[in-house]
Every structure is written in C-alpha cells, then in structure tokens.
C-alpha cells in the first residue's frame, strides 16, 4: 500500500474515533434469507460465480519444484494441480480421458507422469497423453493429442496458484487474471506471501453458507460481544473501514493503539502495527494481515448450508524458526474464528425458521452490502 494511502486510512479512522463516529453508509441494507439457504441460489453461484472466478488452489510452497502436484476439489470439481518440468503451474480435471476414472488418488506428491489406475493411460505433468496400452490396435483412428487432460485457467501470482475451475474450452475466452486482480494486486504483492511459509494449515467443515462466513469477517460490530473472551480488548468498539477494489475488498480493523498514534509524528505511523487489514479476494480467499504474520481463510462452498474452510498461518521465512510461538498464534486465531463460525452455524439454523424474511445490515455494516453486490454483479455479468 502506498504511503499516502496508508496515512489516509489511518487518518480516517483516528478522525472517526476522536469524533466518536462510525464508518457509515447512507442507508441500511438487506439480504433475503433465501440468498443463504436456497439450493437454487447455491446452484446459480456454483455455475456463475465459483466456476467462473479464480480460487486459491495452492500456496507456492506446496508446488515448489517441478513434478510437485496437489489434488484439490474446487467448486465441486476434482482438480489436479501440477508443476511441469518447465516450471509452469497447470491445473486439470483429475479425470482420465479414456473412461473417466480419477487419475490421481494421493493428495500430494512429486512425479512427472500420472498413470490411470484403470487401464494405465499415462499423462505428463503438462497434461499430454504420452502412452496408452494397445492404443494403436484398440483406438485405430484416434489422435493421442486429442486425449490430453482437460486444462483449466491457471495463474501463479501473489504467492499462490489460482484456478478457475472450468475447462478452458467452456469459457469462450481465456480468463484475464491480471485484469481481475489488478485493483488489489499491488497491495497484496507487497506482503510478499511467496516468501512466507505455511506453519499451520487446518481444514474444517462449517454448517453455514459461505457468504455468512465472509460477512462475519468484514464488520467489527460484533467484536466486543462475540469476541469478548478473546480479542475484544484489543480492538475498538464497532469501528472499521472498507473499500471495494473491483470485486475485491480491503477492510481495516483498528486496534485500540491506533487512536494513540495521533500524538506521534506521522513519519512513524505504520498501519500494520495498529490495525488488522483483511483483503477479501473475491469470491473465496481472504488474507488477514496481522502485525507479523498473515492468516489465510479460504472457502470451498459445498452446499447452501455447508462450507469447507482452510485456515492457514503464513509467516515470513526469516521468522519461521520459533514454531511454538506461531502455533500459539494459530491456536488464538482458530479460537477466535471458531467463535465466528459457531455464530455462522447458529444463523444458518434459524434462516428458514420464519423469523426473518430478510437479514438487516446496519449503516456500519456497509461492507456486507458491498460484498453481496459483488456476488449479484458477478452473476449478472456472467449470465
Ligand atoms: S479410465 Fe483411465 S485408462 Fe481407462
Ligand atoms: Fe469475528
């Protein structure tokens, strides 16, 4: 983040704090409960959002060298992510082109050839079909080059491998990742997440809609109440700011120490020491930037009421030595986020009870309205 912006964001929050003000929108917002509960809505999001937009598939450390591969599920599709001999990261449907068996069963490993367990069709890490038993006699007119693995748009940037989980051929045009991430890329690049290591990586299942989970992270209205036993003492009451950056969002959640900065020279102001910054990379990746480390929260929406989450702690390579410290940090993160997830599950259980036809967002919960607008805009743009 450039220095002018950093000072501007700090100034804005200090001014709000000293005026006892809040970061307010003009109007309150609403979201119909079906948006979180309906199978039709979920199916629409699956087709038009999750299968058309980039997902974080791997940290670069998980595909560090040629031959490294990972098996992941993205938007309901089985995906094989490889790093080829040429060093290029690629993603394919993990489905054999002969009769459709799952090609790779292991979650991760390192190899340059993948042999199907059914009839041994064998593919290179770059996707080509390189051998198949009795091919010439069994498939006399077939062209091997037409039987490569089904590739999907893949992009390596910001320390991660990103995948749009749809076959290249179904999208009409190449996905323009660069343009898509442009509004947020410079700031996230500065975090240098490629030079971080993942010291913890949990996968958990939450019985709540993916949007409820995102919404729980982009407002500070709940901090003093829901997190009273954990992080509440360190943060202001209901004070945060946000900006939409394309489909993405930057949220700033100030610590109580930020208000004291007003007495010190601006030259020494450093946002990261006095606030958490949350980058939400639409639709399903969030980077929670803390003073000395970054927490990754990645959603894999499985159903209207079911989301798998990856919660990882990334620390700079140079600082990774004290693993006990980082594991303690990660445990605090998990405890705090679990408070949010329990509330998310509680919301989900009551959604179709008849109590609410719609949920209501206060003027200081404008980030939720903006996020829901990104979902709606994406659906409208693609459909
Ligand atoms: S299904 Fe893979 S080789 Fe037959
Ligand atoms: Fe929270």
């Amino acid at each position: 983040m450039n220095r002018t912006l950093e000072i501007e964001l700090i100034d804005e929050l200090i001014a709000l704090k000293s005026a006892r003000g809040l970061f307010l929108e003009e109007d309150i917002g609403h979201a119909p409960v079906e948006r979180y509960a309906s199978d039709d809505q979920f199916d629409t999001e699956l087709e038009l959002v999750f299968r058309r937009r980039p997902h974080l598939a791997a940290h670069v450390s998980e595909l560090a060298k040629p031959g490294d591969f990972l098996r992941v599920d993205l938007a309901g599709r089985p995906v094989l992510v490889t790093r080829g001999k040429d060093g290029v990261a690629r993603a394919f449907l993990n489905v054999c082109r002969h009769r459709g068996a799952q090609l790779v069963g292991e979650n991760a490993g390192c190899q340059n050839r993948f042999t199907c367990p059914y009839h041994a069709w064998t593919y290179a890490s770059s996707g080509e079909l390189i051998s198949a038993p009795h091919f010439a006699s069994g498939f006399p007119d077939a062209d091997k080059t037409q039987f490569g693995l089904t590739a999907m748009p893949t992009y390596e940037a910001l320390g991660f491998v990103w995948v749009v989980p749809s076959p290249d051929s179904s999208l009409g045009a190449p996905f323009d990742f660069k343009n898509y991430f442009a509004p947020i890329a410079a700031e996230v690049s500065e975090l240098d997440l490629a030079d971080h290591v993942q010291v913890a990586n949990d996968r958990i299942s939450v019985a709540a809609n993916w949007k409820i989970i995102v919404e729980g992270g982009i407002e500070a209205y709940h901090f003093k109440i829901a997190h009273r036993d954990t992080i509440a003492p360190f943060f202001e009451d209901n004070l945060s700011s946000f900006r939409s950056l394309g489909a993405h969002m930057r949220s700033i959640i100030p610590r109580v120490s930020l208000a004291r900065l007003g007495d010190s020279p601006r030259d020494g102001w450093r946002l990261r020491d006095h606030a958490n910054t949350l980058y939400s990379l639409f639709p399903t990746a969030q980077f929670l930037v803390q003073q000395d480390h970054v927490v990754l929260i990645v959603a894999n929406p499985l159903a209207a009421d079911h989301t798998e989450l990856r919660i990882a702690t990334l620390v700079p390579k140079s600082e990774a030595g004290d693993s006990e410290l980082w594991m303690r940090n990660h445990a605090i993160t998990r405890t705090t986020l679990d408070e949010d997830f329990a509330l998310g599950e509680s919301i989900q259980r009551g959604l179709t009870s008849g109590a609410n036809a719609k949920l209501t967002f206060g003027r200081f919960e404008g980030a939720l309205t903006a996020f829901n607008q990104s979902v709606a805009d994406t659906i409208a743009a693609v459909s």
Side-chain angles (χ1 to χ4, degrees):
M1 161 182 321
N2 71 53
R3 187 68 184 146
T4 310
L5 176 63
E6 184 174 12
I7 298 289
E8 181 189 312
L9 291 169
I10 294 172
D11 268 337
E12 178 176 61
L13 286 161
I14 290 178
L16 284 171
K17 168 70 182 166
S18 55
R20 295 182 190 279
L22 299 170
F23 192 86
L24 296 176
E25 298 300 305
E26 282 291 304
D27 299 309
I28 62 172
H30 295 289
V33 294
E34 298 81 39
R35 202 177 280 171
Y36 308 94
S38 122
D39 292 338
D40 283 352
Q41 172 71 21
F42 184 80
D43 290 346
T44 300
E45 291 173 2
L46 183 65
E47 284 303 328
L48 302 183
V49 181
F50 309 137
R51 290 180 172 172
R52 305 294 186 104
R53 293 293 179 265
H55 294 262
L56 188 159
H59 182 248
V60 289
S61 64
E62 295 172 292
L63 281 177
K65 56 187 186 303
D68 282 352
F69 73 88
L70 277 183
R71 188 174 66 89
V72 290
D73 283 324
L74 297 175
R77 289 184 165 145
V79 177
L80 171 66
V81 191
T82 67
R83 188 175 297 285
K85 284 180 176 168
D86 54 1
V88 175
R90 297 180 178 85
F92 307 98
L93 287 169
N94 182 26
V95 176
C96 179
R97 295 296 314 287
H98 172 220
R99 276 173 45 210
Q102 178 174 283
L103 180 62
V104 174
E106 305 93 321
N107 287 332
C110 185
Q111 62 195 57
N112 286 306
R113 294 174 156 229
F114 300 93
T115 299
C116 179
Y118 204 174
H119 314 92
W121 282 30
T122 296
Y123 303 86
S125 51
S126 49
E128 291 96 25
L129 176 63
I130 47 181
S131 68
H134 308 288
F135 193 82
S137 53
F139 309 89
D141 297 322
D143 173 2
K144 259 199 198 131
T145 65
Q146 299 304 305
F147 286 91
L149 293 173
T150 305
M152 295 181 289
T154 309
Y155 183 62
E156 187 165 352
L158 311 174
F160 300 92
V161 176
W162 304 86
V163 176
V164 176
S166 284
D168 283 327
S169 55
S170 71
L171 290 171
F175 188 85
D176 189 347
F177 287 96
K178 204 163 183 216
N179 185 47
Y180 184 73
F181 287 124
I184 206 162
E187 282 183 45
V188 174
S189 294
E190 281 172 29
L191 299 172
D192 203 10
L193 294 175
D195 205 39
H196 281 50
V197 288
Q198 196 167 257
V199 293
N201 184 25
D202 299 343
R203 287 182 194 272
I204 61 169
S205 179
V206 180
N209 186 270
W210 71 284
K211 298 189 295 295
I212 288 177
I213 294 166
V214 172
E215 290 171 6
I218 55 178
E219 51 90 355
Y221 188 29
H222 71 286
F223 269 46
K224 287 287 182 204
I225 302 99
H227 298 309
R228 61 189 168 277
D229 298 328
T230 50
I231 56 169
F234 306 109
F235 291 89
E236 296 288 354
D237 180 20
N238 195 17
L239 187 59
S240 63
S241 65
F242 78 95
R243 297 284 190 285
S244 292
L245 303 167
H248 318 291
M249 184 179 287
R250 178 207 314 111
S251 308
I252 310 286
I253 305 125
R255 293 170 173 266
V256 289
S257 63
L258 186 114
R260 296 195 290 269
L261 272 183
D263 306 328
S264 63
R266 289 173 167 228
D267 284 357
W269 290 7
R270 187 174 175 261
L271 182 65
R272 199 164 168 176
D273 288 341
H274 303 284
N276 283 357
T277 300
L278 179 70
Y279 291 106
S280 299
L281 282 73
F282 190 82
T284 50
Q286 294 185 296
F287 301 152
L288 176 62
V289 181
Q290 306 206 30
Q291 194 167 7
D292 49 11
H293 67 285
V294 175
V295 174
L296 196 64
I297 305 162
V298 182
N300 182 23
L302 299 177
D305 59 356
H306 188 190
T307 305
E308 185 185 80
L309 290 172
R310 164 180 180 172
I311 315 287
T313 292
L314 299 176
V315 305
K317 273 182 191 157
S318 55
E319 308 293 326
D322 191 350
S323 57
E324 253 180 56
L325 166 79
W326 296 120
M327 291 318 290
R328 271 202 307 278
N329 260 294
H330 186 73
I332 293 167
T333 301
R334 278 298 311 273
T335 304
T336 307
L337 289 176
D338 284 349
E339 292 171 341
D340 292 309
F341 302 152
L343 282 157
E345 293 188 336
S346 143
I347 293 169
Q348 192 75 36
R349 279 195 296 274
L351 279 176
T352 54
S353 63
N356 295 306
K358 58 193 178 187
L359 305 185
T360 305
F361 306 147
R363 291 176 60 203
F364 37 69
E365 295 172 294
L368 281 67
T369 304
F371 164 64
N372 278 276
Q373 193 60 49
S374 285
V375 178
D377 289 348
T378 304
I379 291 170
V382 174
S383 56

